[in-house]
Amino acid sequence: QVQLQESGPGLVKPSETLSLTCTVSGGSISSYHWSWIRQPPGKGLEWIGHIYYRGSTNNNPSLESRVTTSLDTSKNQFSLKLSSVTAADTAVYYCARLQLPDFRLDYWGQGTLVTVSS
Amino acid sequence: SSELTQPPSVSVSPGQTASITCSGDKLGDRYTCWYQQKPGQSPVLVTYEDSKRPSGIPERFSGSNSGNTATLTISGTQAVDEADYYCQAWDSSTVFFGGGTKLTVL
């Protein structure tokens, strides 16, 4: 059974970089593709981006200039960096496994709340 | 446009059939999937590739997709089905979510 766990600071200052890591257990990250999704408090889901098992990425055009995702196969982890954050980036951030051909997200982490505030 | 439109809320009586729609331009030309999210929990995939069900999802959940509309149908709705539901599709390797529908069972 695949399990995902997000980790990282729960509080980030405006203009700084948000950094999160997703640790995968029960399967190798080298065999699948992976995504980041966020959900502002009381609002809907927003796709951030995904990283394919070979390391190429696709990101939400609205966040493209600020998003970096990467894989660490030695630790079975993948990570998200979101630069120049503002209060609008306050959200629960989820990592998930991506399956093709329909880009469905079949396993999700529990989510981690990141608040942007000084 | 790849915008997906869902009704904000749907109400259904226990035991009845609930239908939640997701509209988008030529949506039927792309695969669509659906997620269920209960308060304080992560989303759970309930249908994929328009009409398939992951293992462990009850048979009362079914999906369809044609023209500009995808539909999630819950037959014999139970109180435990009360949740937010999101449709999802993709275009040019970009993922899109609908705005979500709150299903109330009353």
Side-chain angles (χ1 to χ4, degrees):
Chain A
Q1 178 80 348
V2 175
Q3 292 184 314
L4 298 89
Q5 178 68 60
E6 304 88 351
S7 60
L11 181 64
V12 181
K13 290 182 168 56
S15 80
E16 295 189 345
T17 296
L18 177 160
S19 296
L20 295 174
T21 297
C22 183
T23 301
V24 178
S25 57
S28 170
I29 65 166
S30 299
S31 302
Y32 291 95
H33 317 300
W34 308 94
S35 284
W36 289 99
I37 306 95
R38 70 181 183 180
Q39 186 171 35
K43 297 188 177 181
L45 301 170
E46 180 182 29
W47 172 68
I48 298 172
H50 50 249
I51 184 165
Y52 297 98
Y53 72 94
R54 291 186 176 179
S56 61
T57 61
N58 283 107
N59 298 320
N60 188 322
S62 69
L63 300 170
E64 174 76 62
S65 62
R66 298 195 291 132
V67 169
T68 303
T69 54
S70 60
L71 296 172
D72 186 340
T73 55
S74 67
K75 296 181 179 179
N76 223 41
Q77 296 174 336
F78 62 103
S79 64
L80 168 71
K81 292 187 187 300
L82 181 66
S83 64
S84 305
V85 298
T86 69
D89 295 309
T90 294
V92 174
Y93 285 75
Y94 295 99
C95 58
R97 191 176 79 172
L98 176 74
Q99 291 269 42
L100 302 179
D102 61 337
F103 290 79
R104 67 187 181 270
L105 302 162
D106 61 349
Y107 288 96
W108 293 64
Q110 67 183 28
T112 186
L113 174 63
V114 179
T115 301
V116 178
S117 175
S118 55
Chain B
S1 170
S2 297
E3 182 177 326
L4 300 179
T5 302
Q6 298 180 234
S9 63
V10 168
S11 297
V12 63
S13 299
Q16 298 304 302
T17 296
S19 295
I20 301 173
T21 58
C22 174
S23 299
D25 186 43
K26 299 181 181 179
L27 189 57
D29 292 347
R30 298 171 269 167
Y31 279 137
T32 300
C33 58
W34 288 89
Y35 301 91
Q36 175 193 71
Q37 186 181 33
K38 296 182 179 180
Q41 298 183 19
S42 303
V44 173
L45 182 70
V46 293
T47 68
Y48 68 99
E49 290 183 14
D50 294 340
S51 59
K52 296 181 180 178
R53 256 189 334 272
S55 61
I57 299 301
E59 290 185 7
R60 64 179 181 273
F61 288 88
S62 63
S64 63
N65 187 15
S66 180
N68 294 323
T69 304
T71 303
L72 175 69
T73 302
I74 309 172
S75 304
T77 307
Q78 301 179 8
V80 295
D81 299 329
E82 187 163 287
D84 293 327
Y85 290 85
Y86 295 90
C87 61
Q88 182 224 303
W90 65 275
D91 186 17
S92 300
S93 300
T94 300
V95 170
F96 300 92
F97 288 102
T101 298
K102 181 175 182 59
L103 177 68
T104 301
V105 182
L106 42 67

